[in-house]
Amino acid sequence: MRGSDPDATLIYMARMLEAGEDPLFIARRIVICAAEDVGLANPEALVVANAAMQAVHQVGMPEARIILSEAAIYVATSKKSNASYLAINKA
């Protein structure tokens, strides 16, 4: 997601799911990326990621993979700004 490449994002996410990674762990990473990497460039990314994490929790697999892919693509294709991350670290 950090590289803004949705194809690469989905390839790695699919590999994680195929390997048995917990879908909630993946959702958590999407939320973190939305906050750290997208940040104020698109604040809606955090809302989308958080909604996806809640939906993954409620729905479960195998359908959760669709929810995860939507959120991951949204975050990957969003503009990035780590200004908030840098600011809190500096503070």
Side-chain angles (χ1 to χ4, degrees):
M1 292 177 289
R2 284 187 171 155
S4 299
D5 184 340
D7 293 330
T9 297
L10 289 185
I11 287 170
Y12 282 102
M13 189 182 76
R15 293 174 84 184
M16 291 172 73
L17 289 169
E18 184 69 25
E21 186 60 72
D22 180 1
L24 284 172
F25 173 80
I26 297 171
R28 179 179 172 273
R29 296 306 311 161
I30 294 171
V31 169
I32 292 166
C33 190
E36 285 184 359
D37 299 336
V38 175
L40 296 174
N42 181 3
E44 190 67 21
L46 185 55
V47 175
V48 168
N50 201 36
M53 187 165 69
Q54 181 64 36
V56 166
H57 178 72
Q58 291 174 329
V59 172
M61 289 296 281
E63 292 86 357
R65 72 194 202 299
I66 301 163
I67 298 162
L68 290 169
S69 68
E70 289 179 17
I73 290 169
Y74 190 90
V75 171
T77 58
S78 290
K79 292 186 180 192
K80 309 295 190 283
S81 170
N82 66 348
S84 294
Y85 175 81
L86 295 174
I88 192 64
N89 284 345
K90 188 173 182 179

